[in-house]
Amino acid sequence: MFEALSDPELVAMLAVDEQDAAGFDAPAEPDWTVATLDGVYAGCLTGGDLVSAHVSRRPSPLGLEAAIAGVAQFASLNLDQQVDLLLLIERQRASLDALHQQALGAFSAADSSDLQWSREQAAAALRVSPRAMPRRIATATTLMTELPQTMAALSAGTITREQASTIAVASWTLPADVTSHFEERVLEHAGEQTLPELRRTVEQARIAADPATADQRHHKARGNRGVGFCPLPDGMASLAVLLPATDADAIYRRLTAAARLLPAEDPRSPDQQRADLLVDAVLTGLPVDALPQAQGRKPGINLHASLSTVAGLDDEPGYLDGYGPITAQELRRLAFAADATWRRMVTDPVSGQILDYGRTTYRPPQPLIDLTIARAQVCAFPGCHQPGHHCDIDHIVPYGEQGETCPANTAPLCRRHHRCKTRGPFRYRLNRDGSHSWQLGSAHTYTSRPPVRLGPSDYTPWEQKVAAAQEQHNARRDAAEDASYAATVASIRRDLDLAVAAQDPDWQQAACTALAEVQRQRTGQLARRRQPRRCHSAEVPDDLPVEPPF
């Protein structure tokens, strides 16, 4: 039916709004699809034409084809078509996000277990932290059951997943009888707003929808106060503190006032001063000796590194429990601090797997606890990053089923995943490389690995590293001897020239004697260089690798 149409007419026909298209003879939609795809393949329609035809239409598989064609021919698109392509892709993605929310909500609703094992199953499959999955499931469930207009807007591509999630989370604190009015109010202009603008609208609508319980919501929100730790790049981290606004403001003002008491010549910025004052106040105000233990150890930072890195033989990054990799220089600074304690761990030099640190008792002894935590570093469940010293020590093969209390049968599990493994269909095993393979009640298998390998990526035996460091030391010493010899000879020759000019035989004799002694020492230096050299302990400089301390 399209053979007689010109390209502009065909494009105009494809751009007709769905509501207007209802008057066409059936089957209109299949004919559009065939015509559009045929037009792409035949070359009579460009990617820009397709983008313009579908940017204002409801997301569909045909619109996705148009987006693919637009990206493939991006260089041929004009500015308007390029902007339309970005909008088209954003709307298509929002529609797929709506499908994802529906599938996730249905998957959770089908789970009748008391511990909601579907949380872990979905988290492992989607490579999401198990601690983040409950919020995702709650958001999807809310959109499906309580916010149909928001779900429809997401399916139509008029709002984004982030906007839909913001609306859903805000509705959690509202009574069910005002949710519908709240939803209508926030969706009125949501398609025209940025995320920060929508958040302000949501907060205003939330208060307006239920002003009588605003104080109750604030009291409930106070119960969510807490401290969060978030690793950041370059050896930094964010310590997020959620507090009532009055307390947070008082702390900030007090830190600011204390910073003003510092000397004017202090080179730190005000933000740096506040941060340092906060660290000093917390670390000195909470004496570590009075704090409770976790897995038999006092609170403190735990570092992992190869001995060669600590000794300065290489610059492989170390690992800070609960954070991740840190630089070798920062690691050595902490390792050689006055209050640092070293614990020996025997590792495989190639894989970095810890090999060794009571097999007949149920409760693991302290050395086995230390080994198990150091090997896995975090909870052994896929995607869970709960630090090992806050976890339970689990028997992989249960102790009641002849499971031994030994390194090959222990792993750290956070309390929830310990319960899921004990009471649910979850099973796992420890692999030779230190990873753990899990089956979560289905045919799928998931693997969790320690956050970092405890060994250099290019393993070199200790002896070779010491020899290389020795060579570097010898080269520096040779260069220093050469420079000293040249300077001494030049000085003596100047004295000899002055002695000759002054016709002073005693001075000449002293200069010649000194020159001969320097030449004798130089001959000894050169002879020593031609033989195998090894530094004696008295000659070892500060930067030469130390011997293993165990």
Side-chain angles (χ1 to χ4, degrees):
M1 67 183 276
F2 294 96
E3 286 78 5
L5 296 177
S6 65
D7 288 351
E9 290 172 332
L10 179 57
V11 172
M13 181 177 180
L14 293 175
V16 174
D17 188 84
E18 282 183 336
Q19 298 167 347
D20 297 333
F24 285 179
D25 293 336
E29 190 67 26
D31 281 351
W32 288 0
T33 302
V34 173
T36 303
L37 293 179
D38 287 347
V40 174
Y41 298 142
C44 64
L45 293 176
T46 66
D49 295 333
L50 295 178
V51 169
S52 299
H54 290 279
V55 67
S56 60
R57 295 179 57 80
R58 186 179 182 85
S60 66
L62 188 57
L64 183 59
E65 291 282 355
I68 294 173
V71 172
Q73 303 178 23
F74 188 84
S76 65
L77 272 58
N78 59 40
L79 178 60
D80 290 339
Q81 291 171 335
Q82 291 175 355
V83 174
D84 285 345
L85 175 61
L86 296 176
L87 178 58
L88 175 62
I89 294 175
E90 185 71 14
R91 296 187 64 193
Q92 292 289 330
R93 185 176 70 170
S95 179
L96 292 175
D97 286 336
L99 289 176
H100 186 274
Q101 297 293 325
Q102 294 172 17
L104 183 60
F107 182 73
S108 175
D111 183 5
S112 59
S113 63
D114 57 344
L115 289 179
Q116 287 289 294
W117 299 326
S118 59
R119 286 167 40 179
E120 275 65 34
Q121 293 167 333
L126 300 178
R127 298 183 299 279
V128 175
S129 167
R131 295 182 178 276
M133 185 52 66
R135 184 182 181 92
R136 287 198 178 194
I137 291 176
T139 300
T141 302
T142 301
L143 290 172
M144 285 182 59
T145 60
E146 301 176 21
L147 300 173
Q149 297 181 57
T150 305
M151 178 63 85
L154 182 61
S155 298
T158 57
I159 63 173
T160 65
R161 184 187 68 179
E162 293 78 8
Q163 290 175 313
S165 178
T166 298
I167 297 171
V169 171
S171 71
W172 292 346
T173 60
L174 294 175
D177 57 346
V178 302
T179 301
S180 178
H181 176 68
F182 162 78
E183 183 182 29
E184 292 178 358
R185 181 165 181 172
V186 298
L187 286 177
E188 184 177 359
H189 301 291
E192 307 167 0
Q193 294 177 312
T194 64
L195 186 58
E197 290 172 342
L198 178 64
R199 284 174 177 159
R200 288 192 290 269
T201 299
V202 164
E203 184 60 23
Q204 292 172 357
R206 193 163 68 100
I207 296 175
D210 189 27
T213 61
D215 287 338
Q216 297 178 10
R217 292 199 302 271
H218 172 67
H219 180 75
K220 184 178 180 180
R222 288 176 63 93
N224 296 327
R225 62 190 182 277
V227 179
F229 180 82
C230 179
L232 298 175
D234 301 323
M236 303 297 286
S238 172
L239 197 66
V241 184
L242 181 62
L243 296 172
T246 53
D247 292 343
D249 183 66
I251 292 173
Y252 185 84
R253 290 177 181 275
R254 186 166 298 186
L255 289 172
T256 301
R260 292 173 180 160
L261 297 176
L262 297 173
E265 60 272 14
D266 192 314
R268 295 172 295 179
S269 68
D271 283 339
Q272 292 171 337
Q273 292 173 340
R274 281 189 287 264
D276 294 344
L277 287 168
L278 179 62
V279 171
D280 292 341
V282 173
L283 296 186
T284 59
L286 298 175
V288 67
D289 292 337
L291 300 178
Q293 295 184 348
Q295 291 294 0
R297 299 293 181 187
K298 291 291 186 180
I301 61 173
N302 295 312
L303 298 169
H304 302 268
S306 63
L307 178 60
S308 57
T309 301
V310 176
L313 293 175
D314 58 50
D315 288 325
E316 289 290 329
Y319 185 84
L320 173 62
D321 272 359
Y323 171 76
I326 61 173
T327 64
Q329 182 176 0
E330 178 69 3
L331 183 145
R332 284 190 284 266
R333 183 185 71 81
L334 296 170
F336 287 100
D339 57 349
T341 300
W342 293 15
R343 283 195 292 272
R344 171 181 176 268
M345 302 282 184
V346 180
T347 64
D348 184 306
V350 176
S351 69
Q353 164 67 7
I354 295 181
L355 303 178
D356 186 22
Y357 183 151
R359 298 171 181 261
T360 60
T361 60
Y362 172 75
R363 184 172 299 280
Q366 189 63 50
L368 179 55
I369 294 176
D370 292 339
L371 165 63
T372 302
I373 293 175
R375 180 177 60 200
Q377 302 172 36
V378 295
C379 173
F381 187 85
C384 184
H385 301 289
Q386 180 77 346
H389 55 274
H390 290 159
C391 293
D392 301 334
I393 303 300
D394 176 53
H395 287 75
I396 299 175
V397 177
Y399 184 76
E401 299 177 12
Q402 307 302 313
E404 294 183 340
T405 304
C406 65
N409 195 47
T410 54
L413 291 181
C414 70
R415 185 58 54 86
R416 172 173 173 80
H417 294 136
H418 194 178
R419 289 174 175 171
C420 288
K421 182 256 183 180
T422 302
R423 299 167 53 184
F426 296 1
R427 296 293 179 266
Y428 72 110
R429 69 175 185 271
L430 173 64
N431 301 319
R432 293 178 63 86
D433 62 354
S435 63
H436 298 86
S437 295
W438 287 76
Q439 283 192 318
L440 308 181
S442 66
H444 299 284
T445 301
Y446 307 97
T447 299
S448 65
R449 302 183 185 279
V452 74
R453 178 179 164 278
L454 300 182
S457 56
D458 52 343
Y459 171 68
T460 304
W462 173 272
E463 294 79 4
Q464 293 184 19
K465 291 189 175 183
V466 171
Q470 181 72 65
E471 288 298 324
Q472 295 177 2
H473 165 66
N474 289 337
R476 290 195 297 268
R477 187 176 66 180
D478 291 347
E481 289 178 349
D482 293 344
S484 176
Y485 168 74
T488 302
V489 169
S491 176
I492 293 175
R493 290 191 180 279
R494 285 195 298 272
D495 285 350
L496 183 58
D497 292 341
L498 292 174
V500 171
Q503 298 182 355
D504 186 336
D506 293 337
W507 190 3
Q508 295 179 32
Q509 181 62 35
C512 290
T513 301
L515 184 60
E517 176 61 23
V518 170
Q519 294 289 359
R520 185 188 67 78
Q521 294 178 3
R522 180 61 173 173
T523 301
Q525 289 176 354
L526 296 177
R528 190 167 58 250
R529 293 183 189 180
R530 290 190 290 269
Q531 299 177 0
R533 293 181 290 175
R534 179 184 178 89
C535 278
H536 299 289
S537 59
E539 300 175 340
V540 177
D542 293 338
D543 56 352
L544 196 66
V546 298
E547 292 295 326
F550 13 74

